[in-house]
Amino acid sequence: MQFSDFLDLFQGITTLIASQPHIIAARLGLMLLGMVLVYLGKKGVLEPLLMIPMGLGMAAVNAGVLFLDPTTAGHIVNGSAALADPALQQKAVEMAAAGKAHGTLFMSPLVEKTDSLMYILQVDFLQPIYTFMFSNGLIACLMFMGIGVLLDVGFVLARPFLSMFLALCAELGTVVTFPIAVAMGLTYKEAASIAMVGGADGPMVLFTSLTLAKHMFVPITVVAYLYLGLTYGGYPYLIRALIPAKLRGLKMPPKKTVKVTADEKLAFAVVGCIVLCLLFPSAAPLFLCLFLGVAVREAGLKYFIAVIDGPILYGATMFLGLTLGVLCEASTILDPKVLLLLVLGIVSLLLSGVGGIIGGYLAYYFSGRKINPVIGIAAVSCVPSTAKVAQKEVSNVRPDAIILPEALGANICGVITTAILTGIYVTLIPLMK
Amino acid sequence: MSRFARLANRYWIGGTLAAFGGVALARLVAPSLEGKIRVYVTLAGQLLALAGLLVICIGVRQRLRATPEEDSARES
């Protein structure tokens, strides 16, 4: 028995030592980042529902690397798309045959060939979730269904002009980041995917990147969710920086309380869903799921509501977080474009926030200084975080000022506008050359 | 106001017709055209469809503005 055989007992460490220096650094860095995400999630700085499973998954997948047996490694190497360099491909095949290939028992996202995929489905425990829920966008659609159940489109129907105007302004980042990303060297498809971060809607970014830039969807989606977690902490500073306290405390004139009926909301959901599906069939799954949630809510189907806003929404959120974390394996995520994505993601989200506030100011002036400009930031469609942030900032200055109904209208319209922009990008970008 | 009357007012009918008319323009008429006119017709159709949805929203807003007056008239 040799010392190396003893080390094989602890293959996580052995594979770490046997890796190239940049992989060692990335694995250690990602384990540390995973722990930080769990900590920040627990502290409430980042969204705990996503960050705790994501952080733990990230740490575990980079710790749990082992030497794969030749059969499994062979299926992964031969079942994935061949590497561009034939010499590297040959080396990978030889390593797999010798039982020296590194891998995990979590999932193998690059396997494409059916036979190999069937084998891997029986080995990697998260592979069924990835293959049947993640790579086809089902998990994004389930989350959207959950969001639909939480939405009250009555806020949009009661204030259509204000809501739509603010929602359009708050798409500034989504629109402007696209040419910036192209100028910085990304392809149209990659640029559109990272620009969607400005829409501040995680499932939409996931759907766009899975449809347009599947090779980059892991870093894009991870960047998106990390930043979306930051909106709750970062946007208050943006509001305070751009809107003086006097305007933040502006009390809006009281409005008559009249209810939009469930019939009207249901009819709007049906017409809206059909029209948007007809216009943008590529994003039809998203529209269907969003408006199905709205329809279930307005039809008062209590059992469905309980299933969708409980097990489906929270189950999808947990597995989304876990799968994203597990996808952050050092060898998968190491891409020179990640740094660029980090910059573009924050630019997009910042521009959308600024665009929303500009919209708020315009609404303030055009309404004869009656509308509180803070409402603008709520049009960034991170439901309902941005609406809550807006109300909180207003309440800090003047506790009796209520802007939540208007803020929710803009917020919900922001979701619909972002879904329309997703449809436009997913439809038009493949036609651009 | 009855449920049907609430839904079947001119805003709902006009908005729905405009929305589906826009869809027809963008998805049926535009593909049969060529060149720049195709792009313009597609865009016009998409805008008309979205404007149709906006018209429905305006209809609901009008109804909300009118409702308290009706209710108060009924009470008196």
Side-chain angles (χ1 to χ4, degrees):
Chain A
M1 194 174 182
Q2 293 178 337
F3 181 66
S4 59
D5 296 328
F6 178 73
L7 273 180
D8 276 351
L9 278 174
F10 309 104
Q11 289 195 17
I13 298 167
T14 317
T15 51
L16 188 67
I17 296 165
S19 299
Q20 291 172 331
H22 68 284
I23 295 279
I24 297 174
R27 272 179 67 185
L28 291 174
L30 286 166
M31 277 189 253
L32 197 65
L33 178 63
M35 288 187 265
V36 171
L37 290 182
V38 172
Y39 174 75
L40 294 178
K42 176 70 179 74
K43 282 278 174 193
V45 178
L46 295 175
E47 172 61 60
L49 293 176
L50 266 171
M51 290 307 150
I52 290 179
M54 190 198 276
L56 201 55
M58 196 183 284
V61 78
N62 285 289
V65 179
L66 44 70
F67 292 110
L68 292 172
D69 66 273
T71 316
T72 308
H75 275 293
I76 292 172
V77 173
N78 298 317
S80 308
L83 297 171
D85 185 349
L88 281 177
Q89 177 69 16
Q90 183 58 32
K91 194 180 169 193
V93 171
E94 285 168 9
M95 293 270 283
K100 289 182 179 173
H102 295 182
T104 69
L105 296 178
F106 291 76
M107 70 170 85
S108 306
L110 301 176
V111 176
E112 293 171 346
K113 289 181 186 161
T114 316
D115 287 354
S116 298
L117 193 56
M118 280 307 295
Y119 178 86
I120 295 297
L121 279 167
Q122 297 170 67
V123 175
D124 291 348
F125 88 105
L126 272 176
Q127 193 68 34
I129 300 284
Y130 177 79
T131 305
F132 299 122
M133 284 185 74
F134 207 87
S135 61
N136 58 7
L138 173 62
I139 206 157
C141 290
L142 291 178
M143 286 190 73
F144 232 52
M145 205 184 287
I147 291 171
V149 167
L150 301 177
L151 293 185
D152 184 350
V153 289
F155 290 115
V156 180
L157 291 169
R159 302 163 193 87
F161 286 117
L162 178 65
S163 305
M164 284 189 195
F165 173 70
L166 294 177
L168 283 174
C169 292
E171 295 298 343
L172 184 70
T174 319
V175 177
V176 173
T177 308
F178 176 69
I180 296 175
V182 172
M184 290 176 87
L186 295 187
T187 65
Y188 288 142
K189 292 181 175 180
E190 292 166 352
S193 303
I194 191 65
M196 282 311 298
V197 175
D201 211 316
M204 226 84 79
V205 180
L206 178 63
F207 187 84
T208 315
S209 53
L210 275 171
T211 312
L212 293 179
K214 203 161 185 177
H215 61 291
M216 293 288 284
F217 90 88
V218 177
I220 289 174
T221 316
V222 170
V223 165
Y225 275 101
L226 281 178
Y227 285 153
L228 295 193
L230 284 173
T231 54
Y232 206 77
Y235 271 179
Y237 294 102
L238 189 66
I239 295 170
R240 283 173 223 158
L242 296 181
I243 305 175
K246 189 184 159 195
L247 285 183
R248 291 203 300 273
L250 179 69
K251 198 175 175 186
M252 291 171 53
K255 287 209 168 175
K256 291 170 271 185
T257 49
V258 189
K259 267 188 82 176
V260 179
T261 65
D263 291 349
E264 285 170 321
K265 290 187 250 181
L266 182 59
F268 179 76
V270 172
V271 175
C273 179
I274 295 171
V275 168
L276 293 176
C277 286
L278 280 166
L279 281 181
F280 310 109
S282 310
L286 276 185
F287 291 126
L288 169 65
C289 291
L290 177 71
F291 286 109
L292 179 62
V294 175
V296 163
R297 174 194 166 105
E298 300 309 334
L301 307 177
K302 285 181 188 164
Y303 296 112
F304 285 4
I305 294 172
V307 170
I308 295 171
D309 81 354
I312 288 186
L313 181 58
Y314 290 107
T317 306
M318 194 193 81
F319 279 108
L320 177 73
L322 182 61
T323 315
L324 277 175
V326 168
L327 282 166
C328 291
E329 204 221 324
S331 55
T332 314
I333 206 167
L334 269 186
D335 191 307
K337 285 181 177 169
V338 169
L339 193 64
L340 195 57
L341 296 178
L342 282 167
V343 174
L344 288 168
I346 199 81
V347 165
S348 186
L349 209 53
L350 194 67
L351 282 175
S352 286
V354 172
I357 290 176
I358 291 172
Y361 269 117
L362 290 173
Y364 167 72
Y365 286 114
F366 286 125
S367 66
R369 300 170 192 265
K370 285 178 188 161
I371 290 176
N372 191 320
V374 179
I375 293 167
I377 199 104
V380 181
S381 61
C382 195
V383 177
S385 301
T386 45
K388 285 201 283 188
V389 164
Q391 178 61 60
K392 200 174 155 192
E393 283 306 304
V394 170
S395 299
N396 284 345
V397 181
R398 186 168 179 174
D400 63 332
I402 303 296
I403 59 154
L404 200 59
E406 285 80 5
L408 278 170
N411 203 201
I412 292 160
C413 206
V415 177
I416 298 170
T417 317
T418 309
I420 291 172
L421 259 170
T422 304
I424 291 172
Y425 274 153
V426 168
T427 309
L428 288 185
I429 298 296
L431 303 176
M432 291 172 74
K433 287 176 184 170
Chain B
M1 196 186 279
S2 74
R3 278 177 155 201
F4 180 76
R6 192 170 284 157
L7 289 178
N9 63 34
R10 57 193 165 142
Y11 289 101
W12 275 92
I13 294 169
T16 308
L17 285 177
F20 284 108
V23 168
L25 212 58
R27 306 281 298 171
L28 297 176
V29 178
S32 63
L33 303 170
E34 285 186 3
K36 278 190 175 176
I37 189 85
R38 178 180 178 163
V39 179
Y40 294 140
V41 172
T42 307
L43 277 176
Q46 290 178 341
L47 286 176
L48 181 61
L50 298 177
L53 296 181
L54 183 63
V55 169
I56 295 175
C57 296
I58 295 166
V60 174
R61 193 182 66 159
Q62 296 288 94
R63 205 268 303 160
L64 292 178
R65 285 182 173 177
T67 303
E69 290 166 18
E70 284 177 16
D71 288 347
S72 57
R74 217 173 289 149
E75 281 165 18
S76 63

